Each structure stands twice: as structure tokens, then as C-alpha cells.
mmCIF file with all atom_site columns, all heavy atoms in Angstrom:
data_model
loop_
_atom_site.group_PDB
_atom_site.id
_atom_site.type_symbol
_atom_site.label_atom_id
_atom_site.label_alt_id
_atom_site.label_comp_id
_atom_site.label_asym_id
_atom_site.label_entity_id
_atom_site.label_seq_id
_atom_site.pdbx_PDB_ins_code
_atom_site.Cartn_x
_atom_site.Cartn_y
_atom_site.Cartn_z
_atom_site.occupancy
_atom_site.B_iso_or_equiv
_atom_site.pdbx_formal_charge
_atom_site.auth_seq_id
_atom_site.auth_comp_id
_atom_site.auth_asym_id
_atom_site.auth_atom_id
_atom_site.pdbx_PDB_model_num
ATOM 1   N N   . VAL A 1 1  ? 0.857   -1.196 -0.002  1.00 94.00 ? 27 VAL A N   1
ATOM 2   C CA  . VAL A 1 1  ? -0.005  -0.006 0.052   1.00 94.00 ? 27 VAL A CA  1
ATOM 3   C C   . VAL A 1 1  ? 0.883   1.260  -0.016  1.00 94.00 ? 27 VAL A C   1
ATOM 4   O O   . VAL A 1 1  ? 0.677   2.184  -0.748  1.00 94.00 ? 27 VAL A O   1
ATOM 5   C CB  . VAL A 1 1  ? -0.966  0.061  1.234   1.00 94.00 ? 27 VAL A CB  1
ATOM 6   C CG1 . VAL A 1 1  ? -1.571  1.313  1.408   1.00 94.00 ? 27 VAL A CG1 1
ATOM 7   C CG2 . VAL A 1 1  ? -2.107  -0.993 0.995   1.00 94.00 ? 27 VAL A CG2 1
ATOM 8   N N   . SER A 1 2  ? 1.898   1.341  0.730   1.00 94.00 ? 28 SER A N   1
ATOM 9   C CA  . SER A 1 2  ? 2.769   2.486  0.883   1.00 94.00 ? 28 SER A CA  1
ATOM 10  C C   . SER A 1 2  ? 3.542   2.612  -0.441  1.00 94.00 ? 28 SER A C   1
ATOM 11  O O   . SER A 1 2  ? 3.654   3.778  -0.838  1.00 94.00 ? 28 SER A O   1
ATOM 12  C CB  . SER A 1 2  ? 3.797   2.329  2.071   1.00 94.00 ? 28 SER A CB  1
ATOM 13  O OG  . SER A 1 2  ? 3.184   2.463  3.334   1.00 94.00 ? 28 SER A OG  1
ATOM 14  N N   . VAL A 1 3  ? 3.981   1.523  -1.012  1.00 95.00 ? 29 VAL A N   1
ATOM 15  C CA  . VAL A 1 3  ? 4.705   1.651  -2.322  1.00 95.00 ? 29 VAL A CA  1
ATOM 16  C C   . VAL A 1 3  ? 3.795   2.165  -3.340  1.00 95.00 ? 29 VAL A C   1
ATOM 17  O O   . VAL A 1 3  ? 4.112   3.048  -4.137  1.00 95.00 ? 29 VAL A O   1
ATOM 18  C CB  . VAL A 1 3  ? 5.214   0.252  -2.762  1.00 95.00 ? 29 VAL A CB  1
ATOM 19  C CG1 . VAL A 1 3  ? 5.778   0.346  -4.113  1.00 95.00 ? 29 VAL A CG1 1
ATOM 20  C CG2 . VAL A 1 3  ? 6.388   -0.113 -1.768  1.00 95.00 ? 29 VAL A CG2 1
ATOM 21  N N   . PHE A 1 4  ? 2.600   1.663  -3.421  1.00 96.00 ? 30 PHE A N   1
ATOM 22  C CA  . PHE A 1 4  ? 1.633   2.120  -4.433  1.00 96.00 ? 30 PHE A CA  1
ATOM 23  C C   . PHE A 1 4  ? 1.138   3.546  -4.192  1.00 96.00 ? 30 PHE A C   1
ATOM 24  O O   . PHE A 1 4  ? 0.875   4.325  -5.195  1.00 96.00 ? 30 PHE A O   1
ATOM 25  C CB  . PHE A 1 4  ? 0.450   1.122  -4.603  1.00 96.00 ? 30 PHE A CB  1
ATOM 26  C CG  . PHE A 1 4  ? 0.767   -0.139 -5.278  1.00 96.00 ? 30 PHE A CG  1
ATOM 27  C CD1 . PHE A 1 4  ? 0.622   -1.293 -4.664  1.00 96.00 ? 30 PHE A CD1 1
ATOM 28  C CD2 . PHE A 1 4  ? 1.184   -0.081 -6.660  1.00 96.00 ? 30 PHE A CD2 1
ATOM 29  C CE1 . PHE A 1 4  ? 0.856   -2.457 -5.364  1.00 96.00 ? 30 PHE A CE1 1
ATOM 30  C CE2 . PHE A 1 4  ? 1.415   -1.240 -7.288  1.00 96.00 ? 30 PHE A CE2 1
ATOM 31  C CZ  . PHE A 1 4  ? 1.251   -2.458 -6.663  1.00 96.00 ? 30 PHE A CZ  1
ATOM 32  N N   . LEU A 1 5  ? 1.037   3.924  -2.965  1.00 95.00 ? 31 LEU A N   1
ATOM 33  C CA  . LEU A 1 5  ? 0.691   5.342  -2.677  1.00 95.00 ? 31 LEU A CA  1
ATOM 34  C C   . LEU A 1 5  ? 1.742   6.246  -3.145  1.00 95.00 ? 31 LEU A C   1
ATOM 35  O O   . LEU A 1 5  ? 1.449   7.260  -3.680  1.00 95.00 ? 31 LEU A O   1
ATOM 36  C CB  . LEU A 1 5  ? 0.581   5.522  -1.093  1.00 95.00 ? 31 LEU A CB  1
ATOM 37  C CG  . LEU A 1 5  ? -0.751  5.119  -0.480  1.00 95.00 ? 31 LEU A CG  1
ATOM 38  C CD1 . LEU A 1 5  ? -0.630  5.109  1.088   1.00 95.00 ? 31 LEU A CD1 1
ATOM 39  C CD2 . LEU A 1 5  ? -1.882  5.868  -0.954  1.00 95.00 ? 31 LEU A CD2 1
ATOM 40  N N   . SER A 1 6  ? 2.988   5.919  -2.929  1.00 95.00 ? 32 SER A N   1
ATOM 41  C CA  . SER A 1 6  ? 4.100   6.646  -3.489  1.00 95.00 ? 32 SER A CA  1
ATOM 42  C C   . SER A 1 6  ? 4.094   6.796  -4.987  1.00 95.00 ? 32 SER A C   1
ATOM 43  O O   . SER A 1 6  ? 4.351   7.913  -5.581  1.00 95.00 ? 32 SER A O   1
ATOM 44  C CB  . SER A 1 6  ? 5.466   6.095  -2.929  1.00 95.00 ? 32 SER A CB  1
ATOM 45  O OG  . SER A 1 6  ? 6.587   6.852  -3.427  1.00 95.00 ? 32 SER A OG  1
ATOM 46  N N   . ILE A 1 7  ? 3.862   5.644  -5.606  1.00 96.00 ? 33 ILE A N   1
ATOM 47  C CA  . ILE A 1 7  ? 3.869   5.528  -7.055  1.00 96.00 ? 33 ILE A CA  1
ATOM 48  C C   . ILE A 1 7  ? 2.736   6.400  -7.689  1.00 96.00 ? 33 ILE A C   1
ATOM 49  O O   . ILE A 1 7  ? 2.918   7.257  -8.640  1.00 96.00 ? 33 ILE A O   1
ATOM 50  C CB  . ILE A 1 7  ? 3.713   4.111  -7.570  1.00 96.00 ? 33 ILE A CB  1
ATOM 51  C CG1 . ILE A 1 7  ? 4.954   3.336  -7.316  1.00 96.00 ? 33 ILE A CG1 1
ATOM 52  C CG2 . ILE A 1 7  ? 3.468   4.076  -9.166  1.00 96.00 ? 33 ILE A CG2 1
ATOM 53  C CD1 . ILE A 1 7  ? 4.783   1.887  -7.604  1.00 96.00 ? 33 ILE A CD1 1
ATOM 54  N N   . PHE A 1 8  ? 1.524   6.286  -7.109  1.00 95.00 ? 34 PHE A N   1
ATOM 55  C CA  . PHE A 1 8  ? 0.314   6.954  -7.607  1.00 95.00 ? 34 PHE A CA  1
ATOM 56  C C   . PHE A 1 8  ? 0.415   8.484  -7.345  1.00 95.00 ? 34 PHE A C   1
ATOM 57  O O   . PHE A 1 8  ? -0.076  9.383  -8.123  1.00 95.00 ? 34 PHE A O   1
ATOM 58  C CB  . PHE A 1 8  ? -0.947  6.374  -7.075  1.00 95.00 ? 34 PHE A CB  1
ATOM 59  C CG  . PHE A 1 8  ? -1.229  5.005  -7.608  1.00 95.00 ? 34 PHE A CG  1
ATOM 60  C CD1 . PHE A 1 8  ? -1.662  3.937  -6.856  1.00 95.00 ? 34 PHE A CD1 1
ATOM 61  C CD2 . PHE A 1 8  ? -1.138  4.757  -9.024  1.00 95.00 ? 34 PHE A CD2 1
ATOM 62  C CE1 . PHE A 1 8  ? -2.007  2.782  -7.290  1.00 95.00 ? 34 PHE A CE1 1
ATOM 63  C CE2 . PHE A 1 8  ? -1.502  3.541  -9.552  1.00 95.00 ? 34 PHE A CE2 1
ATOM 64  C CZ  . PHE A 1 8  ? -1.827  2.500  -8.713  1.00 95.00 ? 34 PHE A CZ  1
ATOM 65  N N   . GLN A 1 9  ? 1.070   8.897  -6.277  1.00 94.00 ? 35 GLN A N   1
ATOM 66  C CA  . GLN A 1 9  ? 1.224   10.318 -6.031  1.00 94.00 ? 35 GLN A CA  1
ATOM 67  C C   . GLN A 1 9  ? 2.271   10.891 -7.026  1.00 94.00 ? 35 GLN A C   1
ATOM 68  O O   . GLN A 1 9  ? 2.130   12.071 -7.384  1.00 94.00 ? 35 GLN A O   1
ATOM 69  C CB  . GLN A 1 9  ? 1.765   10.465 -4.510  1.00 94.00 ? 35 GLN A CB  1
ATOM 70  C CG  . GLN A 1 9  ? 0.747   10.348 -3.512  1.00 94.00 ? 35 GLN A CG  1
ATOM 71  C CD  . GLN A 1 9  ? 1.254   10.572 -2.088  1.00 94.00 ? 35 GLN A CD  1
ATOM 72  O OE1 . GLN A 1 9  ? 1.277   11.799 -1.675  1.00 94.00 ? 35 GLN A OE1 1
ATOM 73  N NE2 . GLN A 1 9  ? 1.742   9.539  -1.459  1.00 94.00 ? 35 GLN A NE2 1
ATOM 74  N N   . ARG A 1 10 ? 3.270   10.068 -7.407  1.00 92.00 ? 36 ARG A N   1
ATOM 75  C CA  . ARG A 1 10 ? 4.237   10.604 -8.357  1.00 92.00 ? 36 ARG A CA  1
ATOM 76  C C   . ARG A 1 10 ? 3.699   10.615 -9.808  1.00 92.00 ? 36 ARG A C   1
ATOM 77  O O   . ARG A 1 10 ? 3.963   11.593 -10.543 1.00 92.00 ? 36 ARG A O   1
ATOM 78  C CB  . ARG A 1 10 ? 5.444   9.667  -8.305  1.00 92.00 ? 36 ARG A CB  1
ATOM 79  C CG  . ARG A 1 10 ? 6.553   10.101 -9.250  1.00 92.00 ? 36 ARG A CG  1
ATOM 80  C CD  . ARG A 1 10 ? 7.809   9.315  -8.999  1.00 92.00 ? 36 ARG A CD  1
ATOM 81  N NE  . ARG A 1 10 ? 8.317   9.510  -7.606  1.00 92.00 ? 36 ARG A NE  1
ATOM 82  C CZ  . ARG A 1 10 ? 9.539   8.882  -7.229  1.00 92.00 ? 36 ARG A CZ  1
ATOM 83  N NH1 . ARG A 1 10 ? 10.213  8.239  -7.969  1.00 92.00 ? 36 ARG A NH1 1
ATOM 84  N NH2 . ARG A 1 10 ? 9.880   9.089  -5.939  1.00 92.00 ? 36 ARG A NH2 1
ATOM 85  N N   . TYR A 1 11 ? 2.855   9.647  -10.127 1.00 90.00 ? 37 TYR A N   1
ATOM 86  C CA  . TYR A 1 11 ? 2.255   9.551  -11.452 1.00 90.00 ? 37 TYR A CA  1
ATOM 87  C C   . TYR A 1 11 ? 0.722   9.698  -11.368 1.00 90.00 ? 37 TYR A C   1
ATOM 88  O O   . TYR A 1 11 ? 0.020   8.735  -11.626 1.00 90.00 ? 37 TYR A O   1
ATOM 89  C CB  . TYR A 1 11 ? 2.682   8.287  -12.156 1.00 90.00 ? 37 TYR A CB  1
ATOM 90  C CG  . TYR A 1 11 ? 4.146   8.091  -12.303 1.00 90.00 ? 37 TYR A CG  1
ATOM 91  C CD1 . TYR A 1 11 ? 4.838   7.235  -11.371 1.00 90.00 ? 37 TYR A CD1 1
ATOM 92  C CD2 . TYR A 1 11 ? 4.899   8.841  -13.267 1.00 90.00 ? 37 TYR A CD2 1
ATOM 93  C CE1 . TYR A 1 11 ? 6.217   7.125  -11.441 1.00 90.00 ? 37 TYR A CE1 1
ATOM 94  C CE2 . TYR A 1 11 ? 6.320   8.641  -13.322 1.00 90.00 ? 37 TYR A CE2 1
ATOM 95  C CZ  . TYR A 1 11 ? 6.908   7.811  -12.502 1.00 90.00 ? 37 TYR A CZ  1
ATOM 96  O OH  . TYR A 1 11 ? 8.301   7.691  -12.491 1.00 90.00 ? 37 TYR A OH  1
ATOM 97  N N   . MET A 1 12 ? 0.293   10.803 -10.893 1.00 88.00 ? 38 MET A N   1
ATOM 98  C CA  . MET A 1 12 ? -1.105  10.982 -10.536 1.00 88.00 ? 38 MET A CA  1
ATOM 99  C C   . MET A 1 12 ? -1.964  11.336 -11.849 1.00 88.00 ? 38 MET A C   1
ATOM 100 O O   . MET A 1 12 ? -1.478  12.057 -12.651 1.00 88.00 ? 38 MET A O   1
ATOM 101 C CB  . MET A 1 12 ? -1.270  12.088 -9.526  1.00 88.00 ? 38 MET A CB  1
ATOM 102 C CG  . MET A 1 12 ? -2.705  12.295 -9.009  1.00 88.00 ? 38 MET A CG  1
ATOM 103 S SD  . MET A 1 12 ? -2.826  13.621 -7.814  1.00 88.00 ? 38 MET A SD  1
ATOM 104 C CE  . MET A 1 12 ? -1.722  13.067 -6.464  1.00 88.00 ? 38 MET A CE  1
ATOM 105 N N   . ILE A 1 13 ? -3.123  10.738 -11.861 1.00 88.00 ? 39 ILE A N   1
ATOM 106 C CA  . ILE A 1 13 ? -4.071  11.138 -12.897 1.00 88.00 ? 39 ILE A CA  1
ATOM 107 C C   . ILE A 1 13 ? -5.029  12.159 -12.285 1.00 88.00 ? 39 ILE A C   1
ATOM 108 O O   . ILE A 1 13 ? -5.747  11.816 -11.339 1.00 88.00 ? 39 ILE A O   1
ATOM 109 C CB  . ILE A 1 13 ? -4.821  9.931  -13.403 1.00 88.00 ? 39 ILE A CB  1
ATOM 110 C CG1 . ILE A 1 13 ? -3.881  8.808  -13.872 1.00 88.00 ? 39 ILE A CG1 1
ATOM 111 C CG2 . ILE A 1 13 ? -5.880  10.302 -14.438 1.00 88.00 ? 39 ILE A CG2 1
ATOM 112 C CD1 . ILE A 1 13 ? -4.567  7.575  -14.300 1.00 88.00 ? 39 ILE A CD1 1
ATOM 113 N N   . HIS A 1 14 ? -5.116  13.296 -12.768 1.00 84.00 ? 40 HIS A N   1
ATOM 114 C CA  . HIS A 1 14 ? -5.855  14.316 -12.090 1.00 84.00 ? 40 HIS A CA  1
ATOM 115 C C   . HIS A 1 14 ? -7.372  14.128 -12.530 1.00 84.00 ? 40 HIS A C   1
ATOM 116 O O   . HIS A 1 14 ? -7.802  14.289 -13.706 1.00 84.00 ? 40 HIS A O   1
ATOM 117 C CB  . HIS A 1 14 ? -5.459  15.770 -12.660 1.00 84.00 ? 40 HIS A CB  1
ATOM 118 C CG  . HIS A 1 14 ? -4.089  16.139 -12.014 1.00 84.00 ? 40 HIS A CG  1
ATOM 119 N ND1 . HIS A 1 14 ? -3.868  16.493 -10.725 1.00 84.00 ? 40 HIS A ND1 1
ATOM 120 C CD2 . HIS A 1 14 ? -2.817  16.038 -12.529 1.00 84.00 ? 40 HIS A CD2 1
ATOM 121 C CE1 . HIS A 1 14 ? -2.591  16.726 -10.489 1.00 84.00 ? 40 HIS A CE1 1
ATOM 122 N NE2 . HIS A 1 14 ? -1.977  16.525 -11.565 1.00 84.00 ? 40 HIS A NE2 1
ATOM 123 N N   . MET A 1 15 ? -8.203  13.834 -11.538 1.00 80.00 ? 41 MET A N   1
ATOM 124 C CA  . MET A 1 15 ? -9.654  13.694 -11.707 1.00 80.00 ? 41 MET A CA  1
ATOM 125 C C   . MET A 1 15 ? -10.399 14.379 -10.613 1.00 80.00 ? 41 MET A C   1
ATOM 126 O O   . MET A 1 15 ? -11.063 13.609 -9.905  1.00 80.00 ? 41 MET A O   1
ATOM 127 C CB  . MET A 1 15 ? -9.902  12.215 -11.902 1.00 80.00 ? 41 MET A CB  1
ATOM 128 C CG  . MET A 1 15 ? -9.413  11.324 -10.839 1.00 80.00 ? 41 MET A CG  1
ATOM 129 S SD  . MET A 1 15 ? -9.864  9.553  -11.112 1.00 80.00 ? 41 MET A SD  1
ATOM 130 C CE  . MET A 1 15 ? -8.971  9.176  -12.639 1.00 80.00 ? 41 MET A CE  1
ATOM 131 N N   . PRO A 1 16 ? -10.227 15.614 -10.357 1.00 74.00 ? 42 PRO A N   1
ATOM 132 C CA  . PRO A 1 16 ? -10.934 16.257 -9.211  1.00 74.00 ? 42 PRO A CA  1
ATOM 133 C C   . PRO A 1 16 ? -12.426 16.343 -9.488  1.00 74.00 ? 42 PRO A C   1
ATOM 134 O O   . PRO A 1 16 ? -12.946 16.575 -10.585 1.00 74.00 ? 42 PRO A O   1
ATOM 135 C CB  . PRO A 1 16 ? -10.391 17.737 -9.261  1.00 74.00 ? 42 PRO A CB  1
ATOM 136 C CG  . PRO A 1 16 ? -9.932  17.999 -10.715 1.00 74.00 ? 42 PRO A CG  1
ATOM 137 C CD  . PRO A 1 16 ? -9.370  16.530 -11.159 1.00 74.00 ? 42 PRO A CD  1
ATOM 138 N N   . LEU A 1 17 ? -13.164 15.889 -8.366  1.00 83.00 ? 43 LEU A N   1
ATOM 139 C CA  . LEU A 1 17 ? -14.643 15.852 -8.497  1.00 83.00 ? 43 LEU A CA  1
ATOM 140 C C   . LEU A 1 17 ? -15.272 16.632 -7.409  1.00 83.00 ? 43 LEU A C   1
ATOM 141 O O   . LEU A 1 17 ? -16.355 16.254 -6.897  1.00 83.00 ? 43 LEU A O   1
ATOM 142 C CB  . LEU A 1 17 ? -15.053 14.371 -8.419  1.00 83.00 ? 43 LEU A CB  1
ATOM 143 C CG  . LEU A 1 17 ? -14.669 13.495 -9.530  1.00 83.00 ? 43 LEU A CG  1
ATOM 144 C CD1 . LEU A 1 17 ? -14.905 11.997 -9.222  1.00 83.00 ? 43 LEU A CD1 1
ATOM 145 C CD2 . LEU A 1 17 ? -15.292 13.798 -10.837 1.00 83.00 ? 43 LEU A CD2 1
ATOM 146 N N   . ARG A 1 18 ? -14.603 17.716 -6.905  1.00 79.00 ? 44 ARG A N   1
ATOM 147 C CA  . ARG A 1 18 ? -15.169 18.495 -5.787  1.00 79.00 ? 44 ARG A CA  1
ATOM 148 C C   . ARG A 1 18 ? -16.460 19.129 -6.144  1.00 79.00 ? 44 ARG A C   1
ATOM 149 O O   . ARG A 1 18 ? -17.259 19.466 -5.340  1.00 79.00 ? 44 ARG A O   1
ATOM 150 C CB  . ARG A 1 18 ? -14.121 19.598 -5.402  1.00 79.00 ? 44 ARG A CB  1
ATOM 151 C CG  . ARG A 1 18 ? -12.925 19.007 -4.676  1.00 79.00 ? 44 ARG A CG  1
ATOM 152 C CD  . ARG A 1 18 ? -12.111 19.941 -3.867  1.00 79.00 ? 44 ARG A CD  1
ATOM 153 N NE  . ARG A 1 18 ? -10.954 19.401 -3.420  1.00 79.00 ? 44 ARG A NE  1
ATOM 154 C CZ  . ARG A 1 18 ? -10.098 20.071 -2.573  1.00 79.00 ? 44 ARG A CZ  1
ATOM 155 N NH1 . ARG A 1 18 ? -10.419 21.293 -2.130  1.00 79.00 ? 44 ARG A NH1 1
ATOM 156 N NH2 . ARG A 1 18 ? -9.053  19.462 -2.140  1.00 79.00 ? 44 ARG A NH2 1
ATOM 157 N N   . HIS A 1 19 ? -16.762 19.279 -7.482  1.00 84.00 ? 45 HIS A N   1
ATOM 158 C CA  . HIS A 1 19 ? -18.035 19.768 -7.895  1.00 84.00 ? 45 HIS A CA  1
ATOM 159 C C   . HIS A 1 19 ? -19.198 18.796 -7.715  1.00 84.00 ? 45 HIS A C   1
ATOM 160 O O   . HIS A 1 19 ? -20.286 19.096 -7.719  1.00 84.00 ? 45 HIS A O   1
ATOM 161 C CB  . HIS A 1 19 ? -17.906 20.286 -9.354  1.00 84.00 ? 45 HIS A CB  1
ATOM 162 C CG  . HIS A 1 19 ? -17.719 19.171 -10.348 1.00 84.00 ? 45 HIS A CG  1
ATOM 163 N ND1 . HIS A 1 19 ? -16.419 18.599 -10.452 1.00 84.00 ? 45 HIS A ND1 1
ATOM 164 C CD2 . HIS A 1 19 ? -18.456 18.544 -11.104 1.00 84.00 ? 45 HIS A CD2 1
ATOM 165 C CE1 . HIS A 1 19 ? -16.461 17.643 -11.358 1.00 84.00 ? 45 HIS A CE1 1
ATOM 166 N NE2 . HIS A 1 19 ? -17.738 17.542 -11.780 1.00 84.00 ? 45 HIS A NE2 1
ATOM 167 N N   . ASP A 1 20 ? -18.831 17.471 -7.521  1.00 89.00 ? 46 ASP A N   1
ATOM 168 C CA  . ASP A 1 20 ? -19.662 16.376 -7.453  1.00 89.00 ? 46 ASP A CA  1
ATOM 169 C C   . ASP A 1 20 ? -19.120 15.393 -6.396  1.00 89.00 ? 46 ASP A C   1
ATOM 170 O O   . ASP A 1 20 ? -18.705 14.326 -6.819  1.00 89.00 ? 46 ASP A O   1
ATOM 171 C CB  . ASP A 1 20 ? -19.900 15.719 -8.823  1.00 89.00 ? 46 ASP A CB  1
ATOM 172 C CG  . ASP A 1 20 ? -21.084 14.719 -8.761  1.00 89.00 ? 46 ASP A CG  1
ATOM 173 O OD1 . ASP A 1 20 ? -21.552 14.468 -7.624  1.00 89.00 ? 46 ASP A OD1 1
ATOM 174 O OD2 . ASP A 1 20 ? -21.559 14.246 -9.890  1.00 89.00 ? 46 ASP A OD2 1
ATOM 175 N N   . LEU A 1 21 ? -19.235 15.736 -5.176  1.00 90.00 ? 47 LEU A N   1
ATOM 176 C CA  . LEU A 1 21 ? -18.723 14.942 -4.043  1.00 90.00 ? 47 LEU A CA  1
ATOM 177 C C   . LEU A 1 21 ? -19.465 13.618 -3.963  1.00 90.00 ? 47 LEU A C   1
ATOM 178 O O   . LEU A 1 21 ? -18.957 12.620 -3.339  1.00 90.00 ? 47 LEU A O   1
ATOM 179 C CB  . LEU A 1 21 ? -18.742 15.633 -2.788  1.00 90.00 ? 47 LEU A CB  1
ATOM 180 C CG  . LEU A 1 21 ? -17.578 16.751 -2.673  1.00 90.00 ? 47 LEU A CG  1
ATOM 181 C CD1 . LEU A 1 21 ? -17.703 17.373 -1.165  1.00 90.00 ? 47 LEU A CD1 1
ATOM 182 C CD2 . LEU A 1 21 ? -16.234 16.130 -2.814  1.00 90.00 ? 47 LEU A CD2 1
ATOM 183 N N   . THR A 1 22 ? -20.732 13.574 -4.350  1.00 92.00 ? 48 THR A N   1
ATOM 184 C CA  . THR A 1 22 ? -21.422 12.329 -4.396  1.00 92.00 ? 48 THR A CA  1
ATOM 185 C C   . THR A 1 22 ? -20.702 11.276 -5.237  1.00 92.00 ? 48 THR A C   1
ATOM 186 O O   . THR A 1 22 ? -20.538 10.125 -4.788  1.00 92.00 ? 48 THR A O   1
ATOM 187 C CB  . THR A 1 22 ? -22.893 12.515 -4.837  1.00 92.00 ? 48 THR A CB  1
ATOM 188 O OG1 . THR A 1 22 ? -23.583 13.408 -4.131  1.00 92.00 ? 48 THR A OG1 1
ATOM 189 C CG2 . THR A 1 22 ? -23.632 11.104 -4.872  1.00 92.00 ? 48 THR A CG2 1
ATOM 190 N N   . LEU A 1 23 ? -20.306 11.738 -6.422  1.00 93.00 ? 49 LEU A N   1
ATOM 191 C CA  . LEU A 1 23 ? -19.642 10.803 -7.321  1.00 93.00 ? 49 LEU A CA  1
ATOM 192 C C   . LEU A 1 23 ? -18.258 10.430 -6.784  1.00 93.00 ? 49 LEU A C   1
ATOM 193 O O   . LEU A 1 23 ? -17.838 9.280  -6.833  1.00 93.00 ? 49 LEU A O   1
ATOM 194 C CB  . LEU A 1 23 ? -19.431 11.368 -8.671  1.00 93.00 ? 49 LEU A CB  1
ATOM 195 C CG  . LEU A 1 23 ? -19.002 10.538 -9.843  1.00 93.00 ? 49 LEU A CG  1
ATOM 196 C CD1 . LEU A 1 23 ? -19.975 9.377  -10.039 1.00 93.00 ? 49 LEU A CD1 1
ATOM 197 C CD2 . LEU A 1 23 ? -18.850 11.319 -11.141 1.00 93.00 ? 49 LEU A CD2 1
ATOM 198 N N   . ALA A 1 24 ? -17.602 11.450 -6.182  1.00 93.00 ? 50 ALA A N   1
ATOM 199 C CA  . ALA A 1 24 ? -16.304 11.182 -5.568  1.00 93.00 ? 50 ALA A CA  1
ATOM 200 C C   . ALA A 1 24 ? -16.332 10.209 -4.500  1.00 93.00 ? 50 ALA A C   1
ATOM 201 O O   . ALA A 1 24 ? -15.525 9.195  -4.257  1.00 93.00 ? 50 ALA A O   1
ATOM 202 C CB  . ALA A 1 24 ? -15.630 12.503 -5.024  1.00 93.00 ? 50 ALA A CB  1
ATOM 203 N N   . ALA A 1 25 ? -17.465 10.322 -3.608  1.00 93.00 ? 51 ALA A N   1
ATOM 204 C CA  . ALA A 1 25 ? -17.561 9.365  -2.559  1.00 93.00 ? 51 ALA A CA  1
ATOM 205 C C   . ALA A 1 25 ? -17.864 7.929  -2.961  1.00 93.00 ? 51 ALA A C   1
ATOM 206 O O   . ALA A 1 25 ? -17.446 6.950  -2.371  1.00 93.00 ? 51 ALA A O   1
ATOM 207 C CB  . ALA A 1 25 ? -18.770 9.846  -1.614  1.00 93.00 ? 51 ALA A CB  1
ATOM 208 N N   . LEU A 1 26 ? -18.760 7.830  -3.973  1.00 95.00 ? 52 LEU A N   1
ATOM 209 C CA  . LEU A 1 26 ? -19.012 6.488  -4.657  1.00 95.00 ? 52 LEU A CA  1
ATOM 210 C C   . LEU A 1 26 ? -17.740 5.817  -5.124  1.00 95.00 ? 52 LEU A C   1
ATOM 211 O O   . LEU A 1 26 ? -17.531 4.584  -4.884  1.00 95.00 ? 52 LEU A O   1
ATOM 212 C CB  . LEU A 1 26 ? -20.044 6.680  -5.753  1.00 95.00 ? 52 LEU A CB  1
ATOM 213 C CG  . LEU A 1 26 ? -21.503 7.000  -5.262  1.00 95.00 ? 52 LEU A CG  1
ATOM 214 C CD1 . LEU A 1 26 ? -22.378 7.262  -6.507  1.00 95.00 ? 52 LEU A CD1 1
ATOM 215 C CD2 . LEU A 1 26 ? -22.072 5.889  -4.522  1.00 95.00 ? 52 LEU A CD2 1
ATOM 216 N N   . PHE A 1 27 ? -16.953 6.585  -5.918  1.00 95.00 ? 53 PHE A N   1
ATOM 217 C CA  . PHE A 1 27 ? -15.720 6.048  -6.470  1.00 95.00 ? 53 PHE A CA  1
ATOM 218 C C   . PHE A 1 27 ? -14.797 5.596  -5.266  1.00 95.00 ? 53 PHE A C   1
ATOM 219 O O   . PHE A 1 27 ? -14.208 4.502  -5.361  1.00 95.00 ? 53 PHE A O   1
ATOM 220 C CB  . PHE A 1 27 ? -15.003 7.007  -7.371  1.00 95.00 ? 53 PHE A CB  1
ATOM 221 C CG  . PHE A 1 27 ? -15.525 6.975  -8.769  1.00 95.00 ? 53 PHE A CG  1
ATOM 222 C CD1 . PHE A 1 27 ? -16.172 8.097  -9.433  1.00 95.00 ? 53 PHE A CD1 1
ATOM 223 C CD2 . PHE A 1 27 ? -15.369 5.782  -9.560  1.00 95.00 ? 53 PHE A CD2 1
ATOM 224 C CE1 . PHE A 1 27 ? -16.533 8.010  -10.690 1.00 95.00 ? 53 PHE A CE1 1
ATOM 225 C CE2 . PHE A 1 27 ? -15.837 5.780  -10.837 1.00 95.00 ? 53 PHE A CE2 1
ATOM 226 C CZ  . PHE A 1 27 ? -16.445 6.826  -11.385 1.00 95.00 ? 53 PHE A CZ  1
ATOM 227 N N   . ALA A 1 28 ? -14.548 6.538  -4.379  1.00 94.00 ? 54 ALA A N   1
ATOM 228 C CA  . ALA A 1 28 ? -13.815 6.249  -3.187  1.00 94.00 ? 54 ALA A CA  1
ATOM 229 C C   . ALA A 1 28 ? -14.162 4.963  -2.492  1.00 94.00 ? 54 ALA A C   1
ATOM 230 O O   . ALA A 1 28 ? -13.349 4.050  -2.166  1.00 94.00 ? 54 ALA A O   1
ATOM 231 C CB  . ALA A 1 28 ? -13.683 7.430  -2.284  1.00 94.00 ? 54 ALA A CB  1
ATOM 232 N N   . GLY A 1 29 ? -15.470 4.849  -2.182  1.00 94.00 ? 55 GLY A N   1
ATOM 233 C CA  . GLY A 1 29 ? -15.960 3.731  -1.508  1.00 94.00 ? 55 GLY A CA  1
ATOM 234 C C   . GLY A 1 29 ? -15.788 2.359  -2.268  1.00 94.00 ? 55 GLY A C   1
ATOM 235 O O   . GLY A 1 29 ? -15.398 1.362  -1.672  1.00 94.00 ? 55 GLY A O   1
#
């Protein structure tokens, strides 16, 4: 988990969904 956290932070895909937190919560869950 720590290794992948480091990798995904370095090569992040920007997909901000703050305008639709319902969708963000669904994806996160």
C-alpha cells in the first residue's frame, strides 16, 4: 500500500470531483 501510494502520487491522474462529491464518494468507497 505504501509503495503504491508513493507511485500513484508521483504519477497521478488528475480527476478532481469536488463539484460532485457524491460521485467522488461513490468512487472512493
Side-chain angles (χ1 to χ4, degrees):
V27 166
S28 286
V29 170
F30 283 118
L31 281 173
S32 180
I33 292 173
F34 289 134
Q35 286 182 88
R36 180 172 298 182
Y37 303 101
M38 186 182 299
I39 302 172
H40 292 282
M41 48 178 71
L43 295 171
R44 292 197 183 187
H45 63 284
D46 190 350
L47 284 181
T48 300
L49 192 59
L52 290 174
F53 273 120

